[in-house]
Amino acid sequence: MGRARGRSRQPVCPGIPTLSLVCFGALIVLAVLSLLSGRLLDMQNSKDYPESRPDANDPFRDEDFVTIEEENVTRALLTSSWNVPDQWDATAQHIWDAENSEYYYGCSEPSKDYQIGPSSQINGYLLIAASGGLNQQRTGITDSIVVARLLNATLVVPQLDHRSYWKDNSNFSDIFDVDWFIKSVSPDVKVIKELPQSDRKYLLKQLYSQRVPRKVPPHYYLTRILPNLKRRHFIRLTKFDYRLANRLDADFQKLRCRTNYKALRFTQPIQNMGQTIADRMRAKGGRYIALHLRYESDMLAFSGCYYGGGEKEKRELGAIRKRWKTLHYHDPERERRNGKCPLTPEEVGLMLRALGYGNDSYLYVASGEVYNGEASLAPLKAMFPNYYTKDTISNQKELQPFLKYSSRMAAIDYIVCSGSDVFVANNNGNMARILAGERRYNGHKRTIRPNAKKLGRLLPARHNMSWAEFAENVRHFQKGFMGDPMEVRAGRGEFHENPAACICEKPEAKEKLRHWREQQAKKPKKPQEATEILGQDPVIPVEDRIDAEEEEDEELPLVIEDEQSNNETEVTGMEDLLLETEDSNEQENGDGDADGDEDNNF
């Protein structure tokens, strides 16, 4: 009896307590009930809100991102939370052209004191190696003409960088019309395609490579470079970009303008392709906006900013950021408050809509592969359905000759952006600066750069105000960032962005501008309280803003260069010999940038 009673008390499954089995069973029942209730709720939501159903075939679904149609959500936000007009705002004046632009024109002819023609006494041959991408190289080529003029040197057609981040092996003649270039600068400098055969062997033995510090004055070239040129007869200046001072005599500045805006003409195939795309954009809408988005992964990684993508974003961009050993960690929120972060595509779209551009505007986007692809672009496309890139407005067959060459593709974008009615730059890099300067020179065509410091604080707070309040603040903060005449005082800012020495005022302008300024002075000022709702400082006057930006420019580089990309590129002839000697006899100056830190720039 006792044994039988004892056996009856044993658990059903030996080794598992009875209480554990009961709890485990209860958990299973709860899980089933939760699953069934969630399924019923999803079915009800699908009936009430059919637009919220996830698309099982959506290629952009990811565990770190909500699987919804961003376009529908953005449209719902714009139509429910804010009363955003579909058409462009008729109260917004001069959004397609710069105010008073008719009173200014580009003028780059030399003064009466300028000696036409190269010097009869040539001190030697000068070769420059332009570094970086297309527009960074363009600054070096432009300045090389001025330096050759200073040194009384014959310039050999510049070499282009084959080793940088972009890994493009194009030569000068592949991108620019070399014969036109030589002919255009002939009144100022003699340029040759190759060293003369009679002296070639001797000159290559005499080759002396030097790297010049950044933004040095003409005196440096006359005292440090000219003696070596006279002694060796052949000088090669390496990593030549931004190696000449910003402020020069007026005639040298005008020489910069003649070189950049007249002598540097793209090859006919590139010019034809770019103009074809520009013509197609204009045929669609009559006028169009060109946006240099610059929202690629390398740009975001370099900026060190955070865009809300969670651990996935931090992991991906952090891995890319390791390419640049000289970069240090900066607080992402502080960088955004200081205007160091590019706007997201959605934020750019909101800025443009607030300025008065409606959803019927035609938008051409010059960009590489956008980070997170369609997930990032969907809000911008929702605000501007007439959205085009060179890939969507042309076909693969047309682009095939250029696809393998990043500089040639960038040149096509340059042409389309140059021909646009409005150009928007999402960062202050080389392409933005070069195009801003060219557009000022060619009649102050509307050129917009986001006031990132102010908008970086306004945009996160936008849901705390009405659309009208938001738009009013955007327009207020963008004053001084719209490419208007006299927006930047002469001599301030980067010359390539503000070529003041090459912009003249028409004789009849003085009286008309005086009257216009009097009218502007009578207009009521924007109340200071408008900025206080954001908890930020008062708006900085234009002249003070430029001073502040000049200080910040020293911290914010301009162009990326991949430190770990040092693979040799196969070239032939003189370039092959010159590349072999570059590392062996390059002489670094004590005040130069031998460590290369300053070349890792946007």
Side-chain angles (χ1 to χ4, degrees):
M1 291 290 293
R3 289 180 180 177
R5 195 179 296 116
R7 284 195 297 270
S8 66
R9 292 193 184 102
Q10 290 182 357
V12 178
C13 297
I16 302 178
T18 304
L19 183 61
S20 298
L21 287 172
V22 173
C23 293
F24 182 66
L27 288 173
I28 292 175
V29 172
L30 287 173
V32 171
L33 290 174
S34 176
L35 181 63
L36 290 173
S37 62
R39 185 66 178 168
L40 290 171
L41 183 61
D42 286 343
M43 292 171 65
Q44 183 64 32
N45 285 340
S46 296
K47 293 177 181 178
D48 295 340
Y49 308 102
E51 72 275 7
S52 66
R53 297 172 188 166
D55 183 1
N57 298 319
D58 184 0
F60 299 102
R61 289 195 304 169
D62 191 279
E63 64 273 13
D64 291 334
F65 294 91
V66 181
T67 56
I68 60 175
E69 293 182 20
E70 293 86 349
E71 182 171 332
N72 290 336
V73 171
T74 304
R75 287 189 186 277
L77 172 66
L78 293 177
T79 55
S80 61
S81 299
W82 283 342
N83 183 21
V84 184
D86 285 341
Q87 304 303 318
W88 70 278
D89 185 359
T91 65
Q93 298 180 346
H94 295 285
I95 63 172
W96 292 100
D97 62 342
E99 193 169 10
N100 296 319
S101 60
E102 65 271 21
Y103 301 129
Y104 298 90
Y105 64 97
C107 52
S108 57
E109 295 305 311
S111 68
K112 295 178 180 179
D113 298 329
Y114 184 82
Q115 179 185 343
I116 303 297
S119 172
S120 57
Q121 183 179 355
I122 299 299
N123 293 316
Y125 295 92
L126 173 68
L127 175 66
I128 68 106
S131 62
L134 174 67
N135 295 288
Q136 187 178 359
Q137 291 171 352
R138 193 173 183 126
T139 65
I141 295 167
T142 298
D143 287 347
S144 71
I145 295 295
V146 179
V147 171
R149 174 86 183 189
L150 274 169
L151 301 176
N152 287 335
T154 295
L155 181 70
V156 182
V157 168
Q159 288 181 326
L160 302 187
D161 190 354
H162 294 168
R163 303 179 179 182
S164 68
Y165 175 85
W166 291 269
K167 300 180 178 65
D168 187 329
N169 63 358
S170 298
N171 294 319
F172 187 98
S173 58
D174 296 321
I175 300 174
F176 300 106
D177 186 335
V178 64
D179 294 321
W180 172 263
F181 176 74
I182 293 173
K183 179 182 178 181
S184 297
V185 301
S186 60
D188 307 287
V189 171
K190 183 179 180 180
V191 180
I192 58 176
K193 295 181 181 179
E194 294 181 344
L195 292 170
Q197 288 295 329
S198 57
D199 300 327
R200 180 186 178 87
K201 189 173 182 180
Y202 165 76
L203 290 171
L204 287 175
K205 287 182 179 179
Q206 293 293 106
L207 175 63
Y208 184 83
S209 293
Q210 234 176 316
R211 192 188 302 181
V212 178
R214 294 176 73 86
K215 298 186 177 181
V216 296
H219 178 73
Y220 182 94
Y221 287 93
L222 297 176
T223 57
R224 302 289 293 274
I225 306 299
L226 183 57
N228 291 331
L229 178 64
K230 288 182 175 180
R231 185 172 67 253
R232 304 296 290 266
H233 306 298
F234 188 19
I235 290 287
R236 181 176 187 265
L237 301 181
T238 64
K239 291 188 178 293
F240 199 80
D241 63 287
Y242 295 100
R243 305 290 163 167
L244 187 59
N246 196 42
R247 300 183 185 183
L248 301 174
D249 291 342
D251 275 326
F252 283 136
Q253 299 287 52
K254 288 174 182 284
L255 178 55
R256 272 175 160 168
C257 292
R258 291 197 298 276
T259 304
N260 198 7
Y261 307 140
K262 296 182 178 181
L264 283 177
R265 188 170 70 181
F266 294 116
T267 60
Q268 204 60 49
I270 293 174
Q271 190 68 39
N272 290 344
M273 188 71 252
Q275 192 58 51
T276 297
I277 294 176
D279 291 341
R280 287 174 184 171
M281 287 298 300
R282 200 162 294 286
K284 287 182 176 295
R287 54 191 181 189
Y288 68 94
I289 305 166
L291 167 62
H292 187 218
L293 187 55
R294 205 64 178 96
Y295 198 72
E296 297 91 347
S297 56
D298 60 337
M299 177 68 178
L300 302 188
F302 192 90
S303 71
C305 300
Y306 175 66
Y307 290 91
E311 290 301 318
K312 178 177 182 292
E313 176 186 318
K314 294 177 182 178
R315 182 174 64 252
E316 291 176 347
L317 299 186
I320 298 173
R321 191 173 171 83
K322 291 178 182 178
R323 295 176 182 174
W324 302 286
K325 298 177 182 178
T326 56
L327 294 183
H328 304 290
Y329 173 80
H330 296 288
D331 178 31
E333 287 302 317
R334 182 175 179 273
E335 293 297 285
R336 186 171 178 85
R337 289 196 304 270
N338 289 336
K340 302 295 180 69
C341 298
L343 302 186
T344 67
E346 179 184 13
E347 291 170 339
V348 173
L350 289 172
M351 178 195 72
L352 290 174
R353 293 294 292 273
L355 289 173
Y357 300 98
N359 69 349
D360 60 340
S361 302
Y362 282 77
L363 184 66
Y364 177 86
V365 177
S367 176
E369 185 176 351
V370 172
Y371 182 65
N372 278 336
E374 286 299 316
S376 295
L377 290 173
L380 177 62
K381 290 182 176 181
M383 286 181 270
F384 292 93
N386 299 313
Y387 176 104
Y388 296 93
T389 66
K390 57 179 171 290
D391 298 302
T392 60
I393 203 169
S394 56
N395 57 57
Q396 286 292 102
K397 184 178 179 181
E398 291 175 311
L399 292 175
Q400 189 60 43
F402 315 103
L403 288 175
K404 295 181 180 179
Y405 307 98
S406 59
S407 290
R408 302 181 207 184
M409 293 288 279
I412 293 171
D413 275 337
Y414 186 99
I415 294 167
V416 183
C417 291
S418 176
S420 66
D421 297 273
V422 177
F423 172 64
V424 184
N426 193 25
N427 79 320
N428 199 28
N430 291 292
M431 180 171 173
R433 291 186 173 192
I434 293 288
L435 268 171
E438 180 186 293
R439 291 172 70 85
R440 287 181 190 275
Y441 181 84
N442 290 323
H444 284 87
K445 294 196 286 185
R446 175 62 74 206
T447 303
I448 301 172
R449 180 161 62 91
N451 183 349
K453 190 169 185 178
K454 296 295 183 183
L455 295 183
R457 300 180 185 185
L458 173 67
L459 285 161
R462 65 185 182 271
H463 298 297
N464 299 328
M465 63 190 79
S466 68
W467 170 259
E469 291 173 318
F470 173 76
E472 183 184 7
N473 276 286
V474 168
R475 293 176 189 180
H476 181 57
F477 293 151
Q478 281 300 121
K479 290 179 180 177
F481 290 79
M482 300 292 288
D484 289 316
M486 307 306 294
E487 185 177 81
V488 181
R489 290 194 303 181
R492 299 298 183 89
E494 179 66 44
F495 178 79
H496 296 290
E497 181 180 12
N498 181 36
C502 305
I503 297 173
C504 296
E505 189 179 278
K506 293 180 180 179
E508 68 273 17
K510 290 188 185 239
E511 182 60 28
K512 293 182 180 180
L513 289 173
R514 184 186 65 79
H515 177 72
W516 176 81
R517 292 187 184 103
E518 289 175 354
Q519 295 299 317
Q520 292 297 308
K522 294 177 182 178
K523 289 184 178 180
K525 301 295 182 183
K526 180 178 172 65
Q528 187 60 46
E529 290 79 8
T531 62
E532 292 176 356
I533 62 173
L534 306 176
Q536 56 189 31
D537 300 329
V539 176
I540 304 174
V542 172
E543 57 271 19
D544 297 334
R545 174 177 65 81
I546 298 304
D547 290 334
E549 285 185 355
E550 285 181 340
E551 294 176 5
E552 290 178 0
D553 281 349
E554 299 303 320
E555 300 176 7
L556 182 62
L558 302 177
V559 175
I560 298 178
E561 180 174 312
D562 192 346
E563 288 184 346
Q564 299 182 7
S565 176
N566 289 320
N567 298 327
E568 292 283 342
T569 304
E570 278 193 21
V571 291
T572 58
M574 183 179 71
E575 288 198 357
D576 193 29
L577 292 170
L578 295 177
L579 287 172
E580 289 177 5
T581 60
E582 177 180 352
D583 297 326
S584 61
N585 70 345
E586 182 175 336
Q587 300 296 316
E588 299 293 355
N589 299 289
D591 50 353
D593 55 334
D595 57 0
D597 289 359
E598 296 189 46
D599 291 297
N600 299 323
N601 299 334
F602 283 103

